[in-house]
Amino acid sequence: MTIVTDTRPLDRLADFPAIPAGWAYLDTAATAQKPQVVIDAITRGYDTTYATVHRGVYQRSADMTLAYEAARKRAAGFIGATSSDEIVFVRGATEGINLVAQCWAGTQLKAGDRILLSTLEHHSNIVPWQFVAERVGAAIDVVPLTADHRIDLDAMAAMITPAHKLVALAHVSNVLGSVLDAKRAAEIAHSVGAKILLDGCQAVPRMAVDVAALDCDFYVFSGHKLYGPTGIGILWGKAELLDAMPPYQGGGAMIDKVTFARTTYAPPPARFEAGTPHIVGALGLHAAIDYVESIGLDAIHAHETALVAKTREALSQINSVTLYGPEDSAGIVSFSIQGVHPHDIGTILDEAKVAIRAGHHCAQPLMEALGVPATARASFGVYNGAADVDALVKGIERVTRIFG
């Protein structure tokens, strides 16, 4: 078998101090490693510039408030939001989805209404909707996949009805890497008056996103998959939808006026950001967005597409390997080896200094549809090169020899 040489076209490995020489980190879909510029931004935030935001009258607090709100504005520009007031800081995509589920769906849906999901959704885009459906008496329908493991939009168009009030889909699958035609999905949802939420966790690190062009209603993503810190993420929503939603939690910063008789609430986004926020997390997210855009999302997408193509080509030559997802999957390759549990694959690869994911990837309904209990998953980032593909393939060949 011919293994490609390592050209590292993005040449970004040196930016990541947590990746030692000879270690192939192929678990970016779970969480991305952090470049030094993000680490530096977090360190500065806690070291020389730290203060609370929106509360202090002293200069450092005012400066930190400006930096915090600059991060919100940066996130708005990153995804094409009309205004930074449409950007809600959350702990991550999971909290963003739960916020929409409780504050929009939980107040708008009623018995007999329907929610439309797809077979490949992450548990975070399933369970919150089940909470709401059980509480209000709504029902959930599931869009199947095409033969090459994409969300079947033709099937979606055939099954959606005016009873469907909310559609929630992954922009890019965390297991299969399949890319949704999000604009068409939004058109189908809106054709019956439904709102659509897109889970962008796997999309924003590797492709340009413009929420206005997509015409979605809500969009969520997590900072830690975008080379930023954990505990910070973005919920974007159309201004009129956010304005009509009640608060998610009560506490400081989300109020207009509090009396024991009655409390009135601040306008969005403050309405949804009760308590002291993850201030330094927002600064780290700002640095991460700057870092990704300094490379260029088109360049990142092309780089990861090339690595996926090389990986799929090499693995397809191993008879015992089954590949999942479309040929043009975005940065992710899921596979299984006949007769070998994915956990054993992951353990043996770890011995060879190759880090992959093994399990159901928080997508148990998808595993059931694929007819497997779990898969192994290699996912790429800007720090990966063809040498990592080489190491992965050599490791898999060793797995097949051990279990052969």
Side-chain angles (χ1 to χ4, degrees):
M1 180 182 299
T2 301
I3 303 298
V4 292
T5 57
D6 185 13
T7 57
R8 292 198 187 278
L10 290 183
D11 193 27
R12 292 288 173 166
L13 183 61
D15 295 345
F16 294 84
I19 304 180
W23 188 50
Y25 181 75
L26 301 177
D27 197 21
T28 300
T31 194
Q33 295 291 330
K34 315 309 172 193
Q36 189 64 53
V37 291
V38 170
I39 297 169
D40 290 345
I42 294 169
T43 300
R44 282 194 307 274
Y46 281 124
D47 187 4
T48 60
T49 65
Y50 184 74
T52 191
V53 296
H54 297 150
R55 293 173 174 82
V57 296
Y58 51 94
Q59 188 59 49
R60 182 179 287 191
S61 177
D63 291 342
M64 185 59 93
T65 298
L66 290 174
Y68 180 75
E69 291 303 326
R72 192 190 306 276
K73 184 176 181 180
R74 188 71 177 91
F78 181 58
I79 60 170
T82 302
S83 166
S84 60
D85 288 343
E86 296 175 330
I87 298 293
V88 180
F89 283 125
V90 288
R91 288 180 298 160
T94 297
E95 184 174 52
I97 293 170
N98 274 275
L99 194 160
V100 176
Q102 297 302 317
C103 302
W104 188 85
T107 61
Q108 298 294 319
L109 271 57
K110 61 184 184 305
D113 286 341
R114 309 189 77 86
I115 299 167
L116 194 60
L117 310 177
S118 86
T119 302
L120 57 69
E121 299 308 315
H122 190 281
H123 295 165
S124 295
N125 204 26
I126 299 173
V127 179
W129 309 114
Q130 291 176 329
F131 287 168
V132 171
E134 290 168 4
R135 191 172 82 239
V136 305
I140 293 176
D141 297 310
V142 182
V143 180
L145 305 183
T146 61
D148 63 347
H149 299 157
R150 305 175 196 271
I151 297 174
D152 190 337
L153 293 184
D154 289 338
M156 176 181 167
M159 66 191 296
I160 199 167
T161 72
H164 289 97
K165 306 302 181 184
L166 189 284
V167 176
L169 302 173
H171 197 170
V172 173
S173 167
N174 74 303
V175 178
L176 305 169
S178 47
V179 181
L180 175 72
D181 183 347
K183 185 172 179 60
R184 186 186 173 205
E187 290 170 351
I188 294 170
H190 292 158
S191 71
V192 297
K195 306 302 182 188
I196 183 168
L197 176 145
L198 297 176
D199 172 1
C201 278
Q202 302 297 337
V204 295
R206 54 183 49 93
M207 62 183 64
V209 170
D210 185 332
V211 293
L214 296 177
D215 195 26
C216 55
D217 299 290
F218 300 101
Y219 199 95
V220 297
F221 67 89
S222 296
H224 72 98
K225 297 179 191 293
L226 184 64
Y227 306 97
T230 56
I232 191 74
I234 296 298
L235 161 64
W236 169 85
K238 289 182 176 177
E240 64 272 19
L241 296 177
L242 294 178
D243 191 57
M245 289 161 53
Y248 183 49
Q249 297 175 318
M254 50 73 67
I255 58 90
D256 172 34
K257 184 178 181 180
V258 175
T259 69
F260 282 110
R262 182 172 182 266
T263 293
T264 55
Y265 308 119
R271 180 185 303 168
F272 306 108
E273 296 180 4
T276 302
H278 188 9
I279 302 164
V280 176
L283 305 187
L285 178 59
H286 190 158
I289 293 172
D290 286 347
Y291 178 77
V292 166
E293 291 204 328
S294 73
I295 300 170
L297 285 158
D298 288 345
I300 293 172
H301 185 57
H303 173 68
E304 293 185 356
T305 296
L307 293 178
V308 164
K310 290 178 172 69
T311 303
R312 293 183 70 94
E313 180 182 8
L315 295 186
S316 68
Q317 298 178 44
I318 303 175
N319 291 334
S320 58
V321 172
T322 298
L323 291 165
Y324 305 98
E327 291 292 327
D328 61 349
S329 58
I332 295 170
V333 178
S334 279
F335 61 94
S336 61
I337 300 176
Q338 185 177 0
V340 187
H341 194 282
H343 289 170
D344 292 324
I345 299 172
T347 299
I348 294 170
L349 287 175
D350 185 44
E351 294 172 354
K353 296 185 178 181
V354 178
I356 66 162
R357 200 71 161 183
H360 56 63
H361 316 295
C362 295
Q364 287 179 314
L366 174 58
M367 296 298 111
E368 183 178 357
L370 296 176
V372 295
T375 68
R377 182 188 70 190
S379 52
F380 300 101
V382 299
Y383 31 66
N384 295 123
D388 298 321
V389 177
D390 188 339
L392 172 67
V393 175
K394 286 181 178 178
I396 291 171
E397 289 174 336
R398 179 168 179 257
V399 173
T400 61
R401 289 195 298 270
I402 291 172
F403 286 89

